[in-house]
Amino acid sequence: MTLPHPPLRSYGRLKSRPIKPRQAALMDTLLPSLRVPQAPFEPRALMAGAAEAWLEIGFGGGEHLAAQAARRPDVLFIGAEPFQNGVASALRHIEAAKLANVRVHDGDARELLARIPDASLERIFVLFPDPWPKARHHKRRLLQRDTAAELARVLKAGGRLRFASDWANYVDWSLEILSGAPGLTWTAEQASDWRTPPADHVTTRYEEKRLGDCEPVFLDFVKG
């Protein structure tokens, strides 16, 4: 299924400060072996014996991605991130932990989603994406109705999606959009369900900076 974004445009920085020499070397040596195929592919086929396939969109520096992968070596993790400094940082975490169950898409997540078959993933994480807080920039947000429909499409029945943000407007925006995506149901039953970090959440240094305008909110959805 091809997303209606011709041509795709990724907003925000793709690179900032110079990448450290060690991380730059990993971009040349390790990254090519971890990149996902450029053609349509079955996620679990990327790792022999993978019990499940999980996706993190916008993994930042890779802390959450690497920590989750270390916890579940039986799961194939795919991380998508266009910011090159973040990719370089993630490669450092992957190498340091000797993770064999991580694959990387160093580009726009919408391009990646278009190559993933229906009902292929058990979990998706979208954690603290760029909020683009000004109203005129809301069209730049990752979560739009067509993207949410794609996330729902690639999730298996019973699969879970987690969105987190510390910007109140983006939380409201995402709750409305994700609740309207085909087959997705918000699992919260009481306020603590979205105010308290889930038991399996990994807090990153970025999250600890509290750069938003509210406490972190966690929205978990399940695919019916």
Side-chain angles (χ1 to χ4, degrees), residues 113-132:
L113 288 170
R115 303 201 297 270
I116 297 177
D118 295 357
S120 296
L121 302 173
E122 278 80 10
R123 295 199 71 178
I124 298 175
F125 298 96
V126 183
L127 306 179
F128 302 94
D130 194 323
W132 294 105

Side-chain angles (χ1 to χ4, degrees), residues 126-146:
V126 183
L127 306 179
F128 302 94
D130 194 323
W132 294 105
K134 295 181 179 179
R136 68 177 183 272
H137 291 154
H138 285 181
K139 64 183 179 181
R140 300 182 178 183
R141 288 175 168 175
L142 170 68
L143 276 184
Q144 306 290 337
R145 294 195 183 279
D146 52 356

Side-chain angles (χ1 to χ4, degrees), residues 21 34 39 53 56 78 81 92 97 99 118 131 149 152 174 179:
L34 299 184
E56 181 170 352
I78 300 174
E81 175 61 64
R92 175 175 58 85
L99 300 173
D118 295 357
S174 300
S179 295

Side-chain angles (χ1 to χ4, degrees), residues 35-78:
R35 280 196 177 104
V36 299
Q38 292 299 307
F41 65 95
E42 170 57 50
R44 286 201 296 174
L46 299 181
M47 186 181 87
E52 297 182 359
W54 298 9
L55 169 66
E56 181 170 352
I57 295 177
F59 57 69
E63 291 177 74
H64 179 272
L65 178 67
Q68 292 285 4
R71 287 177 176 176
R72 292 293 307 272
D74 61 319
V75 172
L76 184 281
F77 285 80
I78 300 174

